[in-house]
Amino acid sequence: MYVSFFKRFLDILIAGIAFILAFPIFLIIVILLFFVNGGTPFFFQKRPGKKEKIFKVIKFKTMNDKKDKEGKLLPDGKRMTKTGKFIRKTSLDEIPQLLNVIKGDMSLVGPRPLLVSYLPLYNDFQKRRHEVKPGITGWAQVNGRNSISWERKFELDIWYVDHCSFALDCRIIWMTIKKVFKSEGVNAEENIPMRPFKGGI
């Protein structure tokens, strides 16, 4: 009952209220990033959701589009702006994903949506993370985030799939709030994303 109905009801209710409350901050960041990123405050990327259905995730754009002499994008670490570092460190870049939740592509809590290019690399166990909607935060995020291995991350994701409940979601949301204020569990290298998944685990 919780996963099939009540969870969606809470997603809409909480995400709606949260977006309304965060709207002043949302608007300030949009204006700020509009100037910092040359008119592109948002970042859109295709991600697989429940049952591997593809959708576009919305985030604030924390990196610029600077390229090298050959026209290729510079490494993430060199494209991360000072404003972007702050926004990512404080997890403010996740605010637009509340719109993904309201729309129904995501849930507040669930395995984080990864890259579409990873889909062919998953084994049968890892594919089970797509049995539920992806979330803004999840069990893996409150138990290490980018500081844990891919193998451990998938183990935590599947554990959540098998144990999803109202009590667990409340616990994850509370742990997320505490970690955001303490800036815990983020990769130590200036918020640089975790190394790409290449399969084979």
Side-chain angles (χ1 to χ4, degrees):
M1 177 64 77
Y2 173 69
V3 176
S4 61
F5 173 75
F6 196 52
K7 184 175 173 68
R8 175 61 182 152
F9 172 77
L10 285 179
D11 279 342
I12 296 173
L13 179 64
I14 297 175
I17 293 174
F19 187 76
I20 292 172
L21 294 176
F23 187 74
I25 298 174
F26 176 88
L27 190 58
I28 291 172
I29 296 176
V30 168
I31 296 172
L32 184 61
L33 291 180
F34 181 85
F35 291 103
V36 172
N37 295 331
T40 54
F42 297 107
F43 171 78
F44 298 90
Q45 190 174 55
K46 291 182 179 180
R47 299 287 177 95
K50 185 177 180 180
K51 297 181 180 179
E52 300 183 5
K53 181 180 178 181
I54 307 301
F55 71 98
K56 284 187 177 181
V57 69
I58 312 169
K59 298 182 73 174
F60 281 129
K61 190 173 182 178
T62 57
M63 293 184 286
N64 58 41
D65 296 318
K66 290 184 178 180
K67 301 178 180 179
D68 59 22
K69 295 180 180 179
E70 297 179 355
K72 297 180 179 179
L73 287 173
L74 294 173
D76 291 352
K78 293 184 178 181
R79 293 190 294 118
M80 180 78 71
T81 63
K82 291 183 178 180
T83 302
K85 286 180 182 179
F86 173 77
I87 292 174
R88 185 172 291 191
K89 182 178 181 181
T90 54
S91 295
L92 292 173
D93 60 319
E94 309 289 356
I95 291 178
Q97 287 178 75
L98 291 171
L99 298 175
N100 284 123
V101 174
I102 294 171
K103 184 181 176 183
D105 295 323
M106 294 177 63
S107 176
L108 290 171
V109 181
R112 285 292 295 160
L114 301 177
L115 299 177
V116 174
S117 59
Y118 292 171
L119 287 175
L121 305 178
Y122 296 144
N123 59 36
D124 291 340
F125 175 75
Q126 295 159 357
K127 285 182 179 180
R128 293 198 57 219
R129 70 192 316 277
H130 296 294
E131 291 178 10
V132 298
K133 288 182 180 180
I136 294 178
T137 186
W139 191 231
Q141 278 58 54
V142 297
N143 283 283
R145 199 173 174 179
N146 288 351
S147 62
I148 58 177
S149 68
W150 278 110
E151 183 176 16
R152 180 58 177 158
K153 189 186 295 283
F154 287 128
E155 288 175 353
L156 292 169
D157 284 343
I158 306 309
W159 187 91
Y160 174 80
V161 170
D162 291 334
H163 296 84
C164 180
S165 68
F166 174 68
L168 179 58
D169 279 0
C170 288
R171 180 183 176 187
I172 292 172
I173 291 173
W174 175 243
M175 291 174 70
T176 299
I177 293 172
K178 291 197 298 181
K179 285 182 175 293
V180 166
F181 280 104
K182 293 181 179 180
S183 296
E184 292 179 350
V186 181
N187 193 308
E189 298 183 10
E190 298 290 341
N191 290 321
I192 295 174
M194 188 176 180
R195 61 181 175 80
F197 175 62
K198 297 181 179 180
I201 61 173

